[in-house]
Amino acid sequence: MKKWMMTTGLVLLAAAATASPAAAQAFVGGLGGATFGTTTDFAFAGRVGVRIAPHVYLVGEAGRMRDVMPSDLHTRIEDGLASIPDEIGNVPINVDVRLQSTYGLGAVRVVGAGPIAPFVEVGGGAARLGLEVTASVAGFDLGNEVEDLVSSDDLDTTQPLIMAGGGLRLATGGASSVDLGYRYTRILVDNPKINTSLVYLGINFGR
């Protein structure tokens, strides 16, 4: 009986060890996903993390959000362009306006235990905003005219940002894992207000 219990216990311990991923001392990885809440587009980033306590990591990240233009500002631009056909005739207009954000941030991440574990993270950093305008009508470049529509807004600047998010970490073997996450980011610009959300897939390679 004792031998059977010892054998059963060893099997259970081995199964638990197999199911529980190794806690990475450090990791590098990347993420990519879709942004919304502003103009719907995509974002990507690289990141590195170091464990500073059980289940707690200090994370650094640098990335780019392709377009964080607030919807009301897009509407203002569209309304301003709506009058152009009346002035020059009904001709096709090509317009592509993006407010890109290149950012860097530091965050604290708390991760649960197990092969499928929840995580939460909060952090802050800085974002460099840049307005990119491509506009033409009947072969004529209207980029400057479109930029004039938003010239009163503080869109070519570096500003602080804050973020908070969470999701699930899925162990994929050893100390590597995959993240399925959501993040809210606020870039601290008064005009216009920039609040964006990101749903992403992340890959982490640990050691």
Side-chain angles (χ1 to χ4, degrees):
M1 184 68 173
K2 289 182 179 180
K3 185 177 180 180
W4 179 85
M5 292 178 64
M6 289 178 62
T7 302
T8 302
L10 289 173
V11 170
L12 292 175
L13 286 173
T18 302
S20 298
Q25 298 298 317
F27 69 86
V28 295
L31 64 85
T35 56
F36 59 97
T38 50
T39 302
T40 301
D41 215 298
F42 67 87
F44 57 90
R47 57 187 175 179
V48 59
V50 177
R51 189 169 66 149
I52 58 174
H55 306 293
V56 182
Y57 291 83
L58 187 61
V59 179
E61 180 178 308
R64 187 176 186 88
M65 291 182 281
R66 190 165 178 263
D67 195 355
V68 293
M69 182 81 73
S71 299
D72 58 347
L73 185 52
H74 259 301
T75 300
R76 190 194 316 171
I77 294 172
E78 290 171 357
D79 290 345
L81 293 174
S83 62
I84 293 178
D86 296 333
E87 299 172 4
I88 64 174
N90 189 18
V91 296
I93 300 176
N94 287 323
V95 179
D96 186 14
V97 183
R98 292 191 181 96
L99 182 59
Q100 302 192 54
S101 171
T102 302
Y103 69 90
L105 62 83
V108 175
R109 164 181 281 216
V110 181
V111 184
I116 302 177
F119 70 86
V120 295
E121 57 187 4
V122 62
R128 176 65 184 176
L129 299 174
L131 185 65
E132 181 180 292
V133 178
T134 302
S136 65
V137 55
F140 293 98
D141 185 9
L142 297 177
N144 291 333
E145 286 75 4
V146 175
E147 287 185 4
D148 288 342
L149 293 173
V150 294
S151 61
S152 62
D153 297 293
D154 192 11
L155 297 179
D156 187 13
T157 181
T158 300
Q159 294 291 341
L161 68 80
I162 55 176
M163 74 85 169
L168 290 176
R169 184 206 61 180
L170 312 177
T172 56
S176 299
S177 61
V178 171
D179 291 341
L180 301 175
Y182 164 82
R183 175 185 298 176
Y184 167 84
T185 302
R186 169 74 185 270
I187 301 176
L188 302 179
V189 180
D190 291 331
N191 185 25
K193 296 184 185 301
I194 300 177
N195 304 303
T196 189
S197 294
L198 170 66
V199 175
Y200 67 89
L201 173 69
I203 301 176
N204 309 308
F205 300 98
R207 55 168 295 176

